[in-house]
């Protein structure tokens, strides 16, 4: 897909930067394997056969393979109960051959997703979904970032976006995206506003944003006329048809920096997952670096 940008908006190329991150993770994985005789291993857990989830897991495992990170896939039937899923994840948490665990979500509505997430040992929570990881993120402690917000922070840093004192508006407050995103921005001294489905007069908030994070899950939901001229616009949305939550042409006409969809936030999420898997393996195998 090609994008037309105005003279003002510069593209934030997540694909190129993620490639560099994955290369670096691959070098570290190879060095770790040479030192310890063991490669990092990510366990992926999938419940049911939702086509989008199957594709996401396959993409993550393919990227692992390219980076010298082993993956072990656990495919569970759609009628798996919460107790069965918690048991399966608990086994992976106890398995010293597994360094990171990814539960592909959403899981079915009959499953208590929070209970399943909490069965992931904190040191293996490379997707940053546990309460422990959220607290660490929020308190600025050592821990794994939720991968999409973590990847977005990397991208903001890569493009030298100074967050101190800036007004960041996060549209969306999900546990894996919007909420941790705001916490990471707050930790970097941005003034953070959360918007959600009950927010009244959304545009009044978005039009004040120096940094706008769209994490809504609605195609082309935010338009250029709702944005502050010169804003940095991060589109975390990924809707059917490779469409983001931001209307790209109108937003690019007013933004200073903008992420495309695809090729912006998506690749950064996977790169962050791989980086954090190598970090986890490095700590668990007791090898420095
Ligand atoms: P989610 O759990 O459905 O959360 C959506 C959020 O948007 C909720 O907080 C909701 O508010 C809010 N919202 C819904 N309608 C709204 C409206 N009219 N005005 C303002 N806020 C509204 O979705 P998610 O998991 O956070 O994902 C959001 C998007 O990011 C999706 O497009 C998803 O595909 C994408 N995503 C991308 C990646 C990646 O790697 N690129 C990773 C994860 C997710 P309430 O809380 O009030 O319901």
């Amino acid at each position: 897909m090609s994008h037309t940008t105005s003279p003002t908006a510069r593209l934030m190329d997540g694909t190129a930067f993620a490639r560099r991150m994955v290369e670096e993770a691959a070098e570290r994985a190879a060095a770790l394997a040479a030192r310890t005789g063991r490669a990092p291993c990510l366990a992926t857990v999938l419940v049911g056969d939702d086509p989008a989830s199957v594709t996401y897991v396959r993409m993550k495992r393919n990227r692992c393979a390219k980076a010298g990170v082993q993956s072990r896939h656990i495919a569970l039937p759609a009628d798996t109960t919460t107790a069965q899923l918690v048991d399966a994840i608990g086994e992976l948490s106890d398995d010293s051959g597994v360094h990171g665990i990814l539960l592909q979500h959403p899981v079915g509505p009959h499953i208590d997703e929070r209970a399943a997430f909490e069965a992931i040992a904190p040191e293996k929570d490379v997707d940053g979904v546990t309460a422990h990881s959220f607290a660490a993120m929020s308190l600025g402690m050592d821990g794994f970032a939720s991968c999409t917000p973590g990847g977005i922070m990397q991208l903001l840093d890569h493009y030298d976006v100074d967050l101190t004192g800036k007004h960041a508006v996060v549209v969306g407050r999900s546990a894996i995206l919007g909420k941790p995103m705001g916490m990471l921005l707050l930790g970097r001294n941005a003034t953070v506003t959360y918007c959600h489905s009950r927010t009244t007069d959304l545009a009044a908030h978005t039009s004040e944003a120096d940094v706008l994070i769209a994490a809504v899950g609605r195609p082309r939901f935010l338009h250029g006329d709702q944005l502050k001229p010169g804003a940095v616009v991060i589109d975390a949305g990924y809707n059917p048809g490779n469409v983001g939550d931001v209307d790209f042409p109108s937003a690019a006409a007013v933004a200073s920096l903008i992420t495309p969809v695809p090729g912006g936030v998506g690749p950064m999420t996977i790169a962050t997952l791989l980086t954090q898997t190598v970090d986890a393996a490095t700590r668990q195998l007791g090898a420095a670096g």
Side-chain angles (χ1 to χ4, degrees):
M1 185 188 283
S2 69
H3 293 290
T4 315
T5 52
S6 77
T8 52
R10 193 153 65 99
L11 269 193
M12 299 172 88
D13 186 348
T15 303
F17 184 45
R19 192 179 302 123
R20 277 172 49 186
M21 281 180 69
V22 172
E23 281 167 8
E24 199 176 300
E27 282 168 20
R28 290 174 53 220
L32 184 65
R35 276 202 304 276
T36 65
R38 292 171 63 188
C41 176
L42 174 71
T44 56
V45 181
L46 178 64
V47 181
D49 56 3
D50 170 66
S53 293
V54 169
T55 302
Y56 289 142
V57 169
R58 191 188 310 122
M59 278 166 55
K60 289 167 186 171
R61 298 189 71 213
N62 285 346
R63 203 59 58 85
C64 278
K66 283 189 186 146
V69 171
Q70 291 177 352
S71 60
R72 189 191 298 180
H73 186 52
I74 312 291
L76 298 170
D79 62 358
T80 299
T81 64
T82 297
Q84 288 167 333
L85 181 57
V86 165
D87 279 352
I89 293 173
E91 278 178 28
L92 295 169
S93 287
D94 292 339
D95 186 337
S96 63
V98 168
H99 307 114
I101 301 170
L102 169 99
L103 170 62
Q104 185 63 39
H105 48 86
V107 289
H110 65 289
I111 289 177
D112 179 349
E113 186 174 84
R114 181 47 44 198
F117 282 154
E118 296 309 325
I120 299 172
E123 69 274 16
K124 298 186 181 183
D125 181 23
V126 293
D127 201 23
V129 294
T130 60
H132 177 96
S133 294
F134 184 80
M137 249 179 294
S138 305
L139 297 172
M141 293 160 54
D142 206 22
F144 294 114
S146 182
C147 283
T148 303
I152 289 171
M153 294 305 288
Q154 295 271 350
L155 201 55
L156 288 168
D157 285 343
H158 182 65
Y159 281 88
D160 291 326
V161 177
D162 180 13
L163 294 166
T164 299
K166 296 288 161 43
H167 187 187
V169 175
V170 183
V171 188
R173 57 172 168 177
S174 71
I176 54 114
L177 214 179
K179 222 170 261 179
M181 185 74 247
M183 286 297 156
L184 292 175
L185 291 163
L186 185 64
R188 296 287 294 279
N189 299 316
T191 302
V192 178
T193 299
Y194 284 102
C195 298
H196 46 78
S197 67
R198 312 290 176 88
T199 298
T200 53
D201 199 357
L202 180 66
H205 298 286
T206 57
S207 61
E208 293 293 318
D210 300 307
V211 178
L212 188 282
I213 314 282
V216 194
R218 291 179 171 227
R220 301 189 186 95
F221 179 70
L222 289 163
H223 288 249
D225 59 4
Q226 296 165 292
L227 303 174
K228 182 175 176 177
V232 174
V233 177
I234 305 289
D235 188 353
Y238 195 66
N239 304 292
N242 286 351
V243 176
D245 288 348
V246 172
D247 177 62
F248 187 88
S250 64
V254 294
S256 58
L257 281 168
I258 189 167
T259 57
V261 177
V265 172
M268 294 301 300
T269 299
I270 299 187
T272 303
L273 176 71
L274 283 178
T275 298
Q276 295 195 146
T277 301
V278 177
D279 291 344
T282 302
R283 283 178 211 161
Q284 286 163 52
L285 294 172

